[in-house]
Amino acid sequence: MSKISPDYLALQRLYHWEKTAPTRVALTQPMGAGAVQDFTWAQVADHSRRMAAHLKAQGWAPGSKVAILSKNCAWWMMSDLAIWMAGYVSVPLYPTLAPDTITQILTHSESKALFVGKLDGWEHMKPGVPAGLPCMSYPLSPDDAKQAYEGWDAIVARTAPMKESPVRGEDELATLIYTSGTTGLPKGVMHSFGNFAWALDRGLQRIPLTQDDRMLSYLPLAHVVERMLVEHGWLRTAMHVYFAESLDTFTADLQRSRPTVFFSVPRLWVKFQQGIHHKMPPAKLNRLLGIPLIGGLVRKKIRKALGLDQCRFAAGGAAPMPLALLEWYGQLGIAINEGYGMTENLALSHITEAGKNQRGTVGPTYPDVQQRIDPETGEIQMKSQALMQGYYKEPEKTAEVFTPDGWLKTGDKGSIDAQGLLHITGRVKDLFKTGKGKYVAPAPIEDKLVMHEAIEACVVTGANLGQPLGIAMLNADAVAQSASAEGRAALESSLSAHIKSINATLDPHERLQCLVVTTTAWTVDNDVITPTFKVKRNRIEDLYAKHYEAWENSGKTVLWQS
């Protein structure tokens, strides 16, 4: 076990920048109507110290839990720092959760208070907050939250800053990160300050962050990757973090921040691609890219339009990246490094190496991370000093996810090639057997299916059917097109051709019998996707399994389901 330098623990990093770079801008927060508010390191520290003094004055026992329910913003980060400084443990909640899930997490974590921050659906979420739980609001909170709860600025204005600079030991619990729950209820993953510091040490050997870098924070800070890469990367390096204002302003937010390091989930990389194809058809784009001088200008123009013209390191993760998508971005001069990890290991497991063509894999392990494949199940197992302390208050579930010799069971299937690169082939539990007794791994087929420009998300299923079938959610443009008989017919023709081309690449038992398309959005609210855009397979089965036999016997390649 390697020891962590105390200087690299989260709070010590704040004190370091407070002392050595007080006037450097640390955070840039959009305030609406084009206005922004900058926070220097001195201001971040001052706000955090004042809020910490307020929290500590409540007299809760050391190690008490304090929750944050908000979209990403400067006050989210300062709340986290204040909670730690006061001697407490932070509990972030996704800003899109259903009220029942909010109740479950706040109750299970025994949270003593809640920061209610920047939210789009507060009216829907509010019933999930237990009666009597003390709450505080942010300057960008919904109006009724600002009226109901004392605001950040008021608390900071009336509270003297904490003069001491308390430190937290590497073995102390820093946070509970509740998993997004693709199966069952979310579990509270316990991570220490030392876990984060060790993971940053190894992560920075592959992702070269410096104080000169810029990142746009827009994926939920409640998710482990954003927490690690943005929040803790910021604390370690003093890079400049910008926040996104809204979905509608996202392009402008990217162009304002011009990130030098950018991470996104596959679904959003696909949406960027579809947006480009909407303005320039694929055939025309490919033709222009093939012309030496013009191709270079087109690449530069597209990267600038995306706000990624200054990006020197791009990454994807949280779900498999389709190989065709990686190749497409490679043509534009954007090399996407694919990462792999879990909440349980702080997302520090594998990542492809910059400058090397390792497409089709998630690369080698990070330094000092061990990997192996279970010879019986093909499951990927790993071990490192970033492994969680366990699931909060759930020792039985903790025991289930570790082997007797202390390796984390990822639940993913894979293989390791001669170069030590990891190939992920699917989920151990996602494999299903058709009625012909053949096993099908859905993930590689879904990677191909989602590449159609009309498809937003998809699932391949079919346990006990003669052949697998696909279920796909159309994106907004395709839904609008399907409103007319002519548009629907054109979509059907295009999707049929897509299925035919995919089936030509598959073994006979893997070929899709049909594709069912739905115009009803899969959302967090209707419980079909998680806050990180992963489709809940068990929920798909609940909604659609009763139709499988009829769909299989329909004789149609493309079917419509409202």
Side-chain angles (χ1 to χ4, degrees), residues 132-187:
L133 184 71
C135 295
M136 296 155 282
S137 65
Y138 291 162
L140 293 179
S141 296
D143 287 342
D144 62 338
K146 286 194 281 190
Q147 291 164 10
Y149 313 129
E150 187 172 15
W152 178 282
D153 287 346
I155 294 170
V156 163
R158 65 169 171 77
T159 309
M162 183 181 281
K163 287 190 167 52
E164 63 271 31
S165 298
V167 298
R168 304 290 296 275
E170 67 176 272
D171 296 326
E172 281 191 71
L173 182 62
T175 191
L176 298 180
I177 305 178
Y178 278 81
T179 57
S180 51
T182 50
T183 57
L185 294 172
K187 298 183 287 290

Side-chain angles (χ1 to χ4, degrees), residues 32-260:
V36 297
Q37 181 176 350
D38 287 332
F39 290 87
T40 64
W41 280 102
Q43 290 170 324
V44 167
D46 181 65
H47 275 251
S48 301
R49 287 179 177 279
R50 290 172 186 271
M51 184 55 69
H54 169 75
L55 294 176
K56 193 166 185 180
Q58 306 312 304
W60 302 317
S64 291
K65 316 301 184 295
V66 178
I68 305 170
L69 175 62
S70 176
K71 293 170 71 174
N72 300 9
C73 60
W75 298 277
W76 199 113
M77 308 263 262
M78 293 188 289
S79 296
D80 212 13
L81 292 167
I83 291 166
W84 292 335
M85 208 181 290
Y88 303 137
V89 175
S90 61
V91 182
L93 280 73
Y94 284 96
T96 50
L97 291 178
D100 287 350
T101 309
I102 292 171
T103 304
Q104 189 258 331
I105 292 174
L106 292 175
T107 303
H108 183 266
S109 65
E110 303 173 77
S111 290
K112 299 291 188 183
L114 173 68
F115 287 99
V116 176
K118 182 183 177 188
L119 296 165
D120 293 331
W122 170 237
E123 278 299 317
H124 174 62
M125 299 177 202
K126 186 162 52 174
V129 179
L133 184 71
C135 295
M136 296 155 282
S137 65
Y138 291 162
L140 293 179
S141 296
D143 287 342
D144 62 338
K146 286 194 281 190
Q147 291 164 10
Y149 313 129
E150 187 172 15
W152 178 282
D153 287 346
I155 294 170
V156 163
R158 65 169 171 77
T159 309
M162 183 181 281
K163 287 190 167 52
E164 63 271 31
S165 298
V167 298
R168 304 290 296 275
E170 67 176 272
D171 296 326
E172 281 191 71
L173 182 62
T175 191
L176 298 180
I177 305 178
Y178 278 81
T179 57
S180 51
T182 50
T183 57
L185 294 172
K187 298 183 287 290
V189 176
M190 299 188 290
H191 277 298
S192 68
F193 290 96
N195 282 15
F196 280 106
W198 188 92
L200 252 297
D201 268 353
R202 275 64 190 173
L204 290 175
Q205 293 180 45
R206 288 283 177 77
I207 304 173
L209 293 176
T210 72
Q211 66 180 34
D212 297 323
D213 280 309
R214 300 182 300 278
M215 285 197 74
L216 178 67
S217 180
Y218 69 101
L219 293 171
L221 275 162
H223 187 263
V224 67
V225 174
E226 192 82 355
R227 195 87 178 281
M228 271 290 298
L229 187 60
V230 176
E231 184 190 32
H232 286 268
W234 166 71
L235 285 170
R236 178 63 68 90
T237 66
M239 66 178 175
H240 189 164
V241 171
Y242 294 75
F243 294 95
E245 183 168 4
S246 69
L247 195 59
D248 294 338
T249 66
F250 187 68
T251 300
D253 293 329
L254 265 174
Q255 291 174 342
R256 172 170 46 81
S257 58
R258 286 282 187 259
T260 56

Side-chain angles (χ1 to χ4, degrees), residues 498-516:
H498 186 51
I499 295 300
K500 185 177 180 181
S501 67
I502 290 172
N503 281 346
T505 69
L506 301 175
D507 290 335
H509 71 280
E510 298 175 310
R511 291 172 187 160
L512 298 175
Q513 177 79 13
C514 61
L515 175 66
V516 179

